[in-house]
Amino acid sequence: MQTELNLQQSMASTDKSPEPTPAKGSEPTPGKAMGVGQHLIDKGAMMIQSLEPIKQISHHACSFAIYSHDMSRQIETHHYCSRLHQNFIQCAVYDSDESDARLLGVEYIVPADIFETMPPEEQKLWHSHAYEIKSGLWVNPRVPEIIGPPELENLAKTYGKFWCTWQVDRGDRLPMGAPALMMSPQAASPGVVRSDLVLERDAKYNISSESLKSSRLEIPEPEMISPLADYWKQHGQGFAIDIEETQMKLRAP
Amino acid sequence: MSTHPQVLGGEPTQTGTYLRDTATSVIQNFDPINKIHQHLCAFHFYSHDMTRQLEAHHYCAHKNEEMRQCLIYDSPDKKARLIGLEYIISENLYLTLPDEEKRLWHSHLYEVKSGLLIMPKVPAAIQRLDMETVCKTYGKVFHFWQIDKGHSLPFGIPQLMMSVTRDGQIYDHLVKSCAERMGIDFEEERKGREYMTGPDHGIHPLANGGGKGLETRLREVNLKDDPTPPSGTRVSVV
């Protein structure tokens, strides 16, 4: 007997805001504060376990990202990156660099030559970094720019793929819904980051994106940015993920 | 999707880069990462395909007593790939979620009691203290890198993952391989955890996909329209 549930109806969509429940609102993440017992367990674990992959995380970068399905929504991001090898960076992305930061998602970063090997359907999901770097939006907080430059030159030629799994800016107090594909700041609307966001971030770190932009003038522009990256630019389309019911493929008994 | 061997074998990090990398991590504020205290080893399967199962290494931080945020890697080694993330919440928090959202989360009761969810190297007595809590929680997992398909890069769209909920679901060879490499005795842990109890209100009927398969699909959105889900063009991505 067919149930009332339309199998085509998605359980969740990137661009569908969850219903109002205590899990939505302006107050911070719900949940009791850590008790002593849990602290002790954590401390015990920390002393014994090696946490090797985490030790590889070596860089903090602060920048901005834009929802690909709704480019009026822009967020400040904090990337904690590790280099898997010379050609690949993987980042855990948070909404701040504070201890109560929320884990927003994951970004992967590859150089242009690797990006060029990807099929077109895949390239559409990636964004370029040249503008973000040269405009001074991407910063390494607390690292003097003098250590920066060769690294920045390399980064300016990379492409990133960033999935956001917690849409905190729409009031989700818990991570709800389907993941969102994020895009990078660009020079043209709607990829321009709102100035109030930039000013707020700059004030926090006592920096000026404008001055960084001047000091980064000499970073070479990539010869060309792939036409499929930053897909919205030439196609006026963004992306959303739907989560739908399907026939689960089961193990043979 | 083809693999790209040149990426797999990518150059090791050059010395200059390495020096720069280590210098910055001393100066910068690493609070969110420094909160990661715990390594949990578990198994996930794709929410639309239980035949695809893999080992998942979680590195977890407490957001508060009732919530953890975990980075998921494919191994506990230096060269581990960051393949996904998991959020773990208490029953209390789970019950505040809208019904449609509840389906995306999975219960941990079976995983914990079967011994399949382990804190490597932590003595059983300490481990069980935490497992008593984890037993009652729910988790939401997305993987972004389908390494079980041999992808050399994180191709495609996020995959919703689930955890096993009863005997006979997990592949024996997976468990054996993990046990050997990690020096774990799953059977012993299972026996030691018999006393544990799950969520106070029982496993919610909507959890674990509500017993159904769930699959993620990509849709193109016309940026000029309102951001509500129209019947957009479905794009197929491997």
Side-chain angles (χ1 to χ4, degrees), chain A residues 77-91:
Chain A
T77 57
H78 291 262
H79 286 55
Y80 287 88
C81 308
S82 66
R83 199 178 279 283
L84 204 48
H85 50 72
Q86 195 74 6
N87 281 340
F88 189 84
I89 296 173
Q90 49 192 21
C91 312

Side-chain angles (χ1 to χ4, degrees), chain B:
Chain B
M1 186 73 68
S2 59
T3 56
H4 302 272
Q6 70 273 24
V7 173
L8 265 177
E11 290 163 42
T13 307
Q14 317 256 292
T15 313
T17 319
Y18 176 74
L19 286 174
R20 257 199 313 278
D21 284 358
T22 42
T24 54
S25 63
V26 171
I27 309 167
Q28 297 188 298
N29 188 3
F30 268 58
D31 281 356
I33 301 302
N34 292 336
K35 280 194 74 174
I36 297 173
H37 294 157
Q38 183 185 48
H39 169 206
L40 289 175
C41 179
F43 300 89
H44 294 154
F45 65 85
Y46 291 76
S47 61
H48 62 285
D49 187 349
M50 197 186 282
T51 68
R52 292 175 62 194
Q53 305 180 359
L54 64 158
E55 194 176 300
H57 291 264
H58 301 57
Y59 291 84
C60 306
H62 276 269
K63 182 86 182 57
N64 55 51
E65 179 88 14
E66 296 184 63
M67 181 178 186
R68 298 176 213 212
Q69 319 184 103
C70 313
L71 301 178
I72 300 177
Y73 294 81
D74 65 339
S75 86
D77 308 322
K78 267 172 87 160
K79 286 294 174 192
R81 292 171 285 192
L82 176 59
I83 61 174
L85 47 70
E86 176 159 2
Y87 300 100
I88 299 177
I89 58 176
S90 66
E91 182 181 16
N92 279 343
L93 294 184
Y94 179 78
L95 293 174
T96 68
L97 297 171
D99 282 356
E100 281 194 353
E101 178 64 30
K102 288 190 172 86
R103 293 185 61 169
L104 310 183
W105 298 69
H106 59 270
S107 58
H108 287 132
L109 171 57
Y110 173 78
E111 258 190 294
V112 170
K113 289 197 70 169
S114 65
L116 287 175
L117 207 171
I118 292 279
M119 279 173 73
K121 300 205 176 87
V122 175
I126 303 180
Q127 190 173 162
R128 281 167 206 166
L129 288 176
D130 200 29
M131 288 299 123
E132 283 169 19
T133 306
V134 178
C135 206
K136 299 173 187 292
T137 60
Y138 292 86
K140 185 181 190 185
V141 180
F142 287 105
H143 280 197
F144 309 110
W145 195 341
Q146 299 184 52
I147 54 168
D148 66 304
K149 274 195 165 181
H151 289 181
S152 59
L153 289 170
F155 297 126
I157 61 175
Q159 301 294 309
L160 181 67
M161 309 296 283
M162 291 286 165
S163 283
V164 290
T165 50
R166 62 171 190 278
D167 286 348
Q169 289 179 342
I170 195 82
Y171 288 127
D172 287 334
H173 71 268
L174 262 189
V175 177
K176 256 184 110 174
S177 159
C178 183
E180 270 159 35
R181 256 178 300 109
M182 310 284 303
I184 295 169
D185 188 340
F186 289 109
E187 259 313 303
E188 190 178 324
E189 263 321 292
R190 184 184 184 125
K191 290 193 192 118
R193 296 177 186 182
E194 268 164 15
Y195 70 95
M196 296 188 192
T197 56
D200 296 339
H201 296 88
I203 295 176
H204 197 284
L206 289 177
N208 305 303
K212 304 263 171 44
L214 293 175
E215 189 166 21
T216 50
R217 307 234 165 92
L218 185 69
R219 167 170 45 91
E220 283 194 25
V221 173
N222 190 333
L223 287 177
K224 297 197 186 74
D225 286 352
D226 274 349
T228 46
S231 51
T233 317
R234 185 121 312 121
V235 179
S236 112
V237 175
V238 172

